[in-house]
């Protein structure tokens, strides 16, 4: 089975609310951080491959709509993505293995925002293969919208698309004793 390695480039979860740089990168300027990200990606991927993991794809960042590794300026984010992509391509070539590169965005209900993100990646020459999306039906709307966004990315930008993150509520019953994050039956997805 092939594995997707998802680099968050953070010491904790990276998501729409948090894109904190690792502590080791705190206080770095963008050039130094770009090199640190490149080195981390290269070294980590080489170690993972050396351990025998069948890496089929590397996701460079997690839900990066609003930042990456503590950076929020779009030019800096694109610089980091190009650095990460370059590292994956170089390791892939070195080990003679086809490793796909994925970027990962959220807010799928904002089709114009997703279109803008894909256009920015293209205009800023970020090298990637797969456009990943988060889809949580209780936040992100119906499946028809998902289909429209996926179709737009494939047709307008020629990229493969994957749902990189998802979940759905099918019951309001407590199944693990930890309490539920759903507010009741309104969050349950039909079917």
């Amino acid at each position: 089975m092939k594995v997707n390695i998802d680099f968050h480039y953070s010491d904790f979860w990276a998501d729409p609310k948090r894109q904190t740089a690792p502590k080791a990168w705190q206080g770095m300027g963008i050039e130094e951080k770009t090199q640190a990200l490149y080195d981390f990606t290269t070294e980590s991927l080489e170690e993972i491959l050396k351990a025998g993991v069948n890496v089929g794809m590397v996701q460079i960042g997690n839900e990066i709509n609003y930042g990456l590794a503590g950076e929020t300026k779009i030019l800096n984010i694109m610089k980091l993505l190009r650095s990460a992509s370059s590292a994956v391509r170089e390791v892939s070539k070195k080990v003679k293995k086809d490793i796909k590169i994925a970027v990962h965005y959220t807010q799928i209900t904002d089709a114009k925002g997703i279109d803008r993100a894909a256009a920015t990646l293209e205009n800023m020459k970020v090298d990637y293969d797969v456009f990943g999306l988060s889809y949580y039906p209780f936040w992100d709307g119906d499946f028809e919208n998902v289909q429209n966004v996926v179709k737009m990315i494939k047709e307008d930008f020629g990229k493969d698309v994957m749902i990189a993150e998802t979940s759905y509520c099918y019951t309001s019953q407590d199944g693990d004793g930890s309490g539920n994050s759903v507010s009741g039956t309104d969050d349950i997805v039909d079917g």
Side-chain angles (χ1 to χ4, degrees):
M1 179 183 289
K2 292 182 180 178
V3 175
N4 175 28
I5 303 299
D6 178 2
F7 288 119
H8 283 219
Y9 300 117
S10 180
D11 291 331
F12 193 67
W13 295 109
D15 59 38
K17 294 179 184 173
R18 292 175 290 258
Q19 291 288 336
T20 309
K23 289 176 188 162
W25 300 356
Q26 296 288 333
M28 287 184 177
I30 188 60
E31 298 305 324
E32 190 179 7
K33 190 182 285 185
T34 299
Q35 186 62 51
L37 187 138
Y38 174 88
D39 293 343
F40 174 81
T41 304
T42 299
E43 292 164 12
S44 299
L45 186 53
E46 286 177 344
E47 285 292 318
I48 291 166
L49 289 163
K50 191 165 78 174
V53 178
N54 187 11
V55 178
M57 184 161 38
V58 173
Q59 185 175 303
I60 52 175
N62 192 72
E63 295 186 324
I64 60 172
N65 299 55
Y66 307 111
L68 178 65
E71 298 296 326
T72 56
K73 292 181 181 173
I74 198 70
L75 292 176
N76 291 349
I77 294 166
M78 294 300 120
K79 185 176 271 198
L80 292 171
L81 289 173
R82 285 192 304 268
S83 179
S85 177
S86 177
V88 174
R89 292 287 189 228
E90 288 172 21
V91 171
S92 178
K93 185 176 179 181
K94 181 177 172 183
V95 299
K96 297 177 175 69
K97 183 172 180 57
D98 180 29
I99 300 173
K100 303 282 186 219
I101 298 171
V103 295
H104 179 190
Y105 287 82
T106 188
Q107 305 296 337
I108 197 168
T109 53
D110 180 10
K112 288 181 183 176
I114 295 296
D115 180 70
R116 196 169 35 256
T120 300
L121 291 165
E122 183 174 83
N123 293 337
M124 299 296 284
K125 300 184 181 356
V126 174
D127 177 18
Y128 73 101
D129 306 295
V130 179
F131 197 102
L133 292 162
S134 291
Y135 174 59
Y136 294 90
F138 42 92
W139 292 323
D140 296 327
D142 61 35
F143 198 65
E144 185 177 342
N145 179 62
V146 175
Q147 291 172 313
N148 291 336
V149 171
V150 167
K151 184 178 178 185
M152 176 267 301
I153 293 168
K154 290 181 77 58
E155 289 179 357
D156 294 353
F157 301 98
K159 298 296 181 180
D160 288 333
V161 182
M162 72 173 180
I163 301 301
E165 252 182 65
T166 190
S167 77
Y168 61 94
C169 301
Y170 60 91
T171 181
S172 60
Q173 303 276 321
D174 181 7
D176 61 8
S178 295
N180 291 332
S181 60
V182 298
S183 60
T185 57
D186 290 345
D187 289 332
I188 296 174
V189 176
D190 289 337

